[in-house]
Amino acid sequence: MNSLQERVAELADILLASKKTVVLTGAGISTESGIPDFRSPGGLWSKIDPMYAFSAETFIHRPEVFYKAGLPHLTSITTARPNRAHEVLAGLEKAGLISCVITQNVDGLHQRAGSTRVLEVHGHLRSATCMSCGSKITWDHLLDKVFAGQVPPRCGDCRGIYKPDCVFFGDSMTADFTEATREATTSELLLVVGSSLEVSPVNYLPMLAGKLAIVNLGPTMADRRALLVINNRAGQTMDLLWNELHSRGKV
Ligand code: APR
């Protein structure tokens, strides 16, 4: 097994040879920002049943379940800060070495690190939408209503219930997912950073790209198909990649 440095050098070779590269990230890229992932030991799904607190079915019939059991986990996300892996991906976009980041995360950390082409296939936590009239409020305004005791929070106009603009289990996918499918299909290389690739339909995206590389602590269902797999922390690996590209005068 060659060393981490040798594998990072191989990743740099693959990236530099690719005419179009997209990156697919998951919760594993944000654990070093203090946000637990879902399926690692101690991850969020070991503490709360996702189908109970984060399913569209439950939300429609008993929205208070989400606002009492699920919301606290999401509010902790909004105070996190980008880590080195997010920063490197933003730098790779600026250097023209990746064309976009497709993320399953709703934490907004890619944008806060400076990435501008971010496809949020599972939505985001910037706003919420009234399920009756479609009007929108900001996340902060939604929290103000909840913390003032209005559970579930209701629309000031029609008294409908507000639903956060992130994808719940059973929801239809976002328009960003449709664009992500186009991006993956037309990419020469798809780099996965920090995802177990357990959840469909996003886990089909790596199959659409010409070549696949994976940076992930744990194994994934796509490993055997990947040109290169680096089982290491995203922050350290992406930092080493940046230094390797810098030593070659590419960033
Ligand atoms: N560096 C690299 N990989 C990491 C790190 C890290 N610092 N920390 C964790 N990982 C890896 C884990 O080994 C795991 O394989 O990241 C992966 C995270 O997998 P999941 O917890 O399943 O998260 P994700 O793949 O994003 O889940 C996809 O599932 O529940 C839904 O909507 C939720 O968007 C989420 C989707």
Side-chain angles (χ1 to χ4, degrees):
M1 162 84 84
N2 45 11
S3 71
L4 175 60
Q5 190 56 52
E6 286 165 334
R7 302 174 83 67
V8 166
E10 197 181 335
L11 178 58
D13 293 341
I14 297 168
L15 180 63
L16 292 172
S18 170
K19 291 182 188 58
K20 177 177 178 180
T21 300
V22 297
V23 180
L24 170 62
T25 65
I29 198 171
S30 296
T31 55
E32 293 167 67
S33 295
I35 301 175
D37 67 12
F38 298 96
R39 295 174 181 82
S40 289
L44 187 57
W45 296 155
S46 67
K47 299 183 175 68
I48 186 169
D49 174 3
M51 291 307 161
Y52 173 67
F54 290 93
S55 81
E57 175 79 16
T58 303
F59 191 93
I60 288 164
H61 297 295
R62 297 179 57 203
E64 72 282 359
V65 168
F66 164 75
Y67 282 108
K68 289 182 180 145
L71 191 68
H73 295 280
L74 296 184
T75 44
S76 65
I77 284 175
T78 48
T79 56
R81 303 209 38 77
N83 64 58
R84 184 65 182 134
H86 297 103
E87 289 165 1
V88 168
L89 290 183
L92 293 180
E93 177 192 328
K94 283 186 185 62
L97 290 176
I98 64 173
S99 69
C100 74
V101 172
I102 300 165
T103 189
Q104 301 171 85
N105 303 337
V106 295
D107 55 33
L109 293 183
H110 287 299
Q111 293 93 326
R112 289 178 61 184
S115 290
T116 61
R117 288 211 67 219
V118 181
L119 296 175
E120 296 172 307
V121 293
H122 286 163
H124 56 80
L125 295 181
R126 290 184 292 279
S127 55
T129 302
C130 171
M131 293 200 294
S132 302
C133 71
S135 67
K136 286 190 175 290
I137 57 167
T138 65
W139 182 255
D140 290 342
H141 188 186
L142 180 81
L143 294 185
D144 289 345
K145 285 175 171 282
V146 172
F147 295 150
Q150 193 182 82
V151 176
R154 289 186 178 276
C155 171
D157 301 334
C158 76
R159 306 304 298 155
I161 294 170
Y162 282 116
K163 181 170 180 289
D165 288 335
C166 54
V167 174
F168 284 56
F169 285 101
D171 272 338
S172 50
M173 290 300 280
T174 58
D176 272 13
F177 176 72
T178 307
E179 189 177 342
T181 304
R182 269 197 301 272
E183 284 294 315
T185 306
T186 57
S187 68
E188 193 175 312
L189 171 67
L190 186 145
L191 169 62
V192 175
V193 182
S195 178
S196 65
L197 298 178
E198 291 276 320
V199 172
S200 68
V202 176
N203 62 0
Y204 291 115
L205 295 179
M207 315 304 162
L208 303 177
K211 297 185 188 118
L212 177 62
I214 298 173
V215 173
N216 198 56
L217 267 183
T220 79
M221 55 176 267
D223 285 357
R224 66 187 179 291
R225 199 184 154 272
L227 210 54
L228 174 68
V229 176
I230 301 179
N231 293 129
N232 193 58
R233 286 184 300 108
Q236 181 190 29
T237 308
M238 300 310 284
D239 188 49
L240 288 171
L241 175 64
W242 184 264
N243 296 341
E244 176 68 23
L245 292 168
H246 187 261
S247 71
R248 300 186 196 188
K250 298 296 184 187
V251 292

